[in-house]
Amino acid sequence: MSQPAAPQATAPVPPPAQPNSTGRTLIGLALIVPAAIAWIWSYVLPTLSTVARSFEQDGPRRSGESAGTANYEAVFTDGFVGQVGFAVLLGLIPLVVALLAAPLLAVLADRAGRVARLVTRGVLALPLAAYAPVAVFLGRRAEDIENGTLTQNLQSPRTFLATALAQVTFGVVVAVAATLYLSALRRRDPDQRPAPAMLAVGGLLGLGVLAAAVQTYTAPTILTGGGPRGDDTATPVFAAAQTSVRTMRLGVGSATSTLLLVLLGLLGLAAVALILATRLRIEFDGWRDRPAVREAESFSSRRPLLVGLTAVALVVVLGVTVWASLPWLRNFSADTGPLPKAVGTANLFANTWVPPLLSTLVAVTLAAVAGFGIGALRPLGRYSELLLVPFAPWLFVGIGPLAIAGFERTMELGQLGLFLGLVPPTWLSVPALFAFTLLFRGQHERWRSGGGVVRTLLLPALPMLAVTALPTWLTHAQSPLWATLVGRGPDSLTAPALVKMVADRSFGAGGELPLGLVLPLPMLILFVLLFVALMVGYVDRLAIRVGRRGGADAPPAGAGEPVGKVTA
């Protein structure tokens, strides 16, 4: 009796060809080099320059004469500890909003179903697109002067400033925080617990809010001028800028900046430690929801109470945002009024928007390339995210702490008062570097499991360029600090700096301010359309996850690995 023929072994189809381990390592490290050069130029060298300047004698130019620790003694005598404490107090209300109000809104929107979630994301795009702190604070000050309430408010300046800052930033804080929480709540399996991801996001938000608070500059500059009694409403960045610009004590200002850089560096290192400890990553879940998600959402959508509560919460967010912005909106269409004769609207518009756009495009592009090298190619294998550690101390550092070093560099290059001098001296976006690294890290397993590089890596990352570039561009364009430091004459004015100058000249005289110049209607409409499209069409597809992959998130066993011995 003949034996049945043994089944023929068939070799599995190998995944698409990918670079070998050595090739990935070399290419990955090579892709980090441009970002590393920009990081050294934009952060490391200015930091070293700031530290060195803090030990030199005061003066408009560097003398090289040692001052020992005299500058640091002056900093503490001037009340640096109190400045930091006051700045932290300014961040307490935004911190509560980010850690309590925003997650509550996110949970309501997530449980209310897909339509409610998309509407929530679209509504939250509005406070982001309407970010114009200079216009809002100037409008608030003008109305207080007109109503005669400014003197009364300045009787308790710290309370007044903290309240005004909380009102103005409420919408932005809710928008950013709720957006991240919604991504942390996104899951493929209805039984999957999003709590660890929510806690990780909350930790990062807490660190970010504190870092932003200690770098507060615009609010005390416009509303209280750091006073009215001494420096009772001064923050570290405000004190460093005032000390350096008004009294030319650049050594003392650099000492303040150095101490602030230490604090921000610790916050950045804590953030990267949290990311590494939780194995946090960003995953793109595709353009359509999976059946399990649709089933869970259909169950949630049968809860009218959740939909109603979400609608009420959104009305509150929009109501507070519009109410806080009314002083700006009332003057939005005001006539340009008595502008300096040599100032042209076209030149003013170009100075405001083109220089930050140039640095933003370079900074975000280099961040994306380096993020691909670290997160996708993983040159150090499972330890690749350690490559983020050198960048971590500058994760939360804005222009303020490095403004003195940037000003001196611009002066040495002869660019004060020139168009090139208005370009923010930040040629790498460290937050964008982290975002792209975490996104490519989340997509790495899908690529290794056989997905094409275009479909699993490049296409999901392209919209992230806009997600990171738009806020960076808008933030730099609306900041008055850098333009105030490097501007010389009417040809180098930006809209925030010009409108502030006009308001200061007419202080107490009343009249309308040309606040519409700060964020013109065409730019506002453009940002609204772009932010809404990105939030609804792309950000809603992003999921923030932590821990090891498992269950639905795990790639097929052996996927992406070399094909071993074939057995029957």
Side-chain angles (χ1 to χ4, degrees):
M1 186 172 180
S2 62
Q3 297 293 329
Q8 297 294 323
T10 58
V13 179
Q18 300 170 359
N20 57 35
S21 178
T22 303
R24 287 199 306 272
T25 300
L26 295 178
I27 296 174
L29 293 176
L31 293 179
I32 303 173
V33 171
I37 295 174
W39 162 64
I40 292 173
W41 176 257
S42 302
Y43 294 101
V44 177
L45 292 180
T47 298
L48 295 177
S49 176
T50 301
V51 174
R53 190 70 169 92
S54 69
F55 290 100
E56 295 181 5
Q57 293 286 351
D58 276 323
R61 294 184 179 275
R62 306 190 69 161
S63 62
E65 298 180 7
S66 175
T69 60
N71 291 330
Y72 287 93
E73 294 172 1
V75 166
F76 285 104
T77 301
D78 293 342
F80 175 78
V81 176
Q83 295 164 8
V84 173
F86 174 61
V88 172
L89 289 176
L90 291 178
L92 288 183
I93 297 179
L95 189 64
V96 171
V97 172
L99 299 183
L100 294 180
L104 177 59
L105 172 60
V107 170
L108 288 174
D110 180 72
R111 297 293 179 88
R114 181 174 182 271
V115 174
R117 188 183 71 240
L118 292 178
V119 170
T120 299
R121 288 194 182 274
V123 170
L124 292 179
L126 301 180
L128 297 176
Y131 177 76
V134 172
V136 177
F137 287 131
L138 284 175
R140 171 70 180 269
R141 190 181 76 178
E143 286 200 350
D144 286 345
I145 293 174
E146 184 178 354
N147 298 332
T149 59
L150 182 61
T151 303
Q152 179 181 353
N153 290 334
L154 292 180
Q155 296 299 317
S156 302
R158 293 196 167 192
T159 302
F160 165 62
L161 186 60
T163 304
L165 184 64
Q167 293 169 354
V168 172
T169 60
F170 176 79
V172 174
V173 173
V174 171
V176 173
T179 296
L180 296 178
Y181 283 123
L182 280 171
S183 293
L185 286 166
R186 186 175 181 86
R187 52 196 183 274
R188 296 179 183 174
D189 185 347
D191 296 329
Q192 185 180 11
R193 294 185 176 182
M198 292 276 287
L199 292 175
V201 167
L204 293 176
L205 284 171
L207 295 172
V209 169
L210 290 177
V214 297
Q215 296 177 88
T216 302
Y217 172 79
T218 303
T221 300
I222 294 177
L223 294 179
T224 63
R229 295 179 296 273
D231 294 328
D232 50 4
T233 57
T235 59
V237 172
F238 175 86
Q242 293 295 98
T243 300
S244 302
V245 175
R246 287 191 175 181
T247 63
M248 300 308 293
R249 300 167 64 199
L250 271 68
V252 176
S254 297
T256 300
S257 298
T258 299
L259 295 173
L260 183 57
L261 285 169
V262 172
L263 294 177
L264 294 173
L266 293 175
L267 293 176
L269 289 171
V272 77
L274 179 60
I275 291 172
L276 294 176
T278 60
R279 299 177 180 269
L280 188 141
R281 61 191 181 275
I282 302 174
E283 298 181 5
F284 180 72
D285 277 352
W287 301 108
R288 296 182 179 180
D289 285 329
R290 294 172 178 269
V293 176
R294 289 198 297 268
E295 180 182 353
E297 289 180 344
S298 64
F299 174 75
S300 297
S301 65
R302 294 196 295 267
R303 299 180 180 178
L305 177 60
L306 292 174
V307 176
L309 291 176
T310 303
V312 171
L314 291 178
V315 169
V316 171
V317 172
L318 278 183
V320 173
T321 302
V322 172
W323 172 70
S325 303
L326 280 178
W328 165 43
L329 298 177
R330 291 193 185 104
N331 291 273
F332 192 84
S333 59
D335 183 33
T336 54
L339 297 182
K341 295 180 180 180
V343 175
T345 304
N347 187 51
L348 186 70
F349 184 86
N351 289 344
T352 303
W353 297 101
V354 177
L357 178 61
L358 296 177
S359 64
T360 296
L361 291 177
V362 175
V364 171
T365 300
L366 293 181
V369 173
F372 181 86
I374 299 174
L377 299 183
R378 309 195 62 73
L380 301 185
R382 61 184 298 186
Y383 303 106
S384 296
E385 279 71 36
L386 291 177
L387 292 170
L388 293 174
V389 174
F391 301 91
W394 293 273
L395 173 61
F396 298 125
V397 174
I399 290 180
L402 299 175
I404 297 174
F407 167 77
E408 291 190 319
R409 176 189 287 176
T410 304
M411 182 171 58
E412 292 170 358
L413 295 175
Q415 295 178 348
L416 292 180
L418 300 181
F419 182 81
L420 288 179
L422 292 173
V423 178
T426 305
W427 298 102
L428 174 68
S429 173
V430 179
L433 170 61
F434 274 67
F436 278 104
T437 299
L438 297 178
L439 176 60
F440 285 122
R441 176 186 185 178
Q443 296 296 108
H444 172 76
E445 290 298 334
R446 300 179 187 181
W447 177 47
R448 293 283 290 162
S449 300
V453 63
V454 174
R455 181 172 59 86
T456 60
L457 294 179
L458 298 185
L459 289 181
L462 283 178
M464 183 63 78
L465 291 170
V467 170
T468 53
L470 284 177
T472 304
W473 181 28
L474 181 59
T475 301
H476 284 320
Q478 296 300 305
S479 173
L481 176 57
W482 182 248
T484 301
L485 288 176
V486 302
R488 295 292 184 275
D491 290 336
S492 58
L493 284 173
T494 64
L498 172 66
V499 176
K500 182 180 180 300
M501 182 182 69
V502 172
D504 290 341
R505 287 181 176 179
S506 61
F507 189 88
E512 293 183 334
L513 295 174
L515 300 182
L517 290 174
V518 178
L519 183 57
L521 184 59
M523 295 302 298
L524 177 60
I525 294 175
L526 174 65
F527 280 114
V528 167
L529 294 177
L530 291 176
F531 273 110
V532 170
L534 288 171
M535 292 281 277
V536 175
Y538 174 69
V539 176
D540 188 60
R541 321 311 303 175
L542 298 178
I544 297 177
R545 298 186 173 114
V546 298
R548 294 182 179 274
R549 294 174 180 268
D553 291 341
E561 300 298 331
V563 178
K565 182 171 61 177
V566 179
T567 57

